[in-house]
């Protein structure tokens, strides 16, 4: 996916529900972590988000405002709204190709993204098996992501 981002002429936005830094380490740069990032902390007082290694303790100081007791992991807990939904919605309106990789199709709002793209957008699901929303896609390719994603990227970049 990082290669597709680098080489695709139309631009690409990668939206992930994962809270790890796998896509970052692979080289993805135009990336939204809609459920946040486990290796970052957010200050409830000043709102700043920054890299954080180790545990967040009650007396941990915010690097921005220097207050204690106001840091939390920069992840979305159950019941909280995912991050950057407006930016994701704008991208869904503009995209020409929408691909979902490795999804159960059961976690919303991401499972509904395929229904939010503009008419005429080509939709593709790359998944180990049929998901709860597979019927909403134009094309579904089943198999391990380590196999089907590189083949799809190669096909796209031709």
């Amino acid at each position: 996916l990082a290669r597709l981002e680098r080489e695709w002429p139309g631009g690409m936005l990668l939206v992930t529900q994962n809270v790890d830094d796998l896509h970052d380490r692979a080289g993805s740069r135009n990336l939204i972590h809609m459920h946040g990032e486990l290796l970052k902390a957010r200050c409830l007082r000043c709102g700043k988000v920054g890299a954080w290694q180790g545990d967040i303790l009650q007396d941990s100081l915010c690097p921005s405002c220097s207050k204690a007791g106001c840091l939390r992991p920069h992840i979305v807990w159950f019941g909280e709204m995912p991050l950057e939904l407006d930016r994701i919605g704008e991208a869904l309106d503009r995209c020409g190709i929408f691909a979902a990789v490795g999804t159960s199709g059961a976690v919303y709002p991401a499972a509904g993204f395929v229904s939010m793209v503009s008419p005429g957008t080509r939709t593709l699901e790359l998944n180990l098996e049929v998901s709860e929303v597979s019927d909403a896609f134009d094309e579904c390719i089943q198999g391990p992501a380590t196999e089907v994603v590189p083949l799809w990227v190669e096909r796209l970049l031709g």
Side-chain angles (χ1 to χ4, degrees), residues 1-7 12 14 23 26-28:
L1 294 174
R3 176 184 173 214
L4 183 60
E5 179 184 335
R6 282 190 313 272
E7 298 179 22
M12 179 182 138
L14 177 63
H23 292 293
S28 295

Side-chain angles (χ1 to χ4, degrees), residues 17 34 85 88-89 92 98 100 103-118 123 125 131-134 136-137:
Q17 295 181 88
M34 67 181 288
L85 288 178
I88 295 168
L92 291 169
F98 172 80
T103 181
S104 64
V107 179
Y108 285 83
F113 287 169
V114 66
S115 66
M116 296 170 63
V117 299
S118 297
T123 61
E125 182 184 64
S131 77
E132 291 185 25
V133 293
S134 290
F137 289 87

Side-chain angles (χ1 to χ4, degrees), residues 12-28:
M12 179 182 138
L13 174 65
L14 177 63
V15 177
T16 183
Q17 295 181 88
N18 298 343
V19 296
D20 61 28
D21 65 346
L22 179 66
H23 292 293
D24 305 84
R25 288 185 287 128
S28 295

Side-chain angles (χ1 to χ4, degrees), residues 27 32 57 59 65 71 82 119 126 130 154 156:
I32 294 175
L57 305 173
D59 60 349
C65 70
L71 291 178
L126 300 132
V130 173
E154 189 62 39
L156 268 179

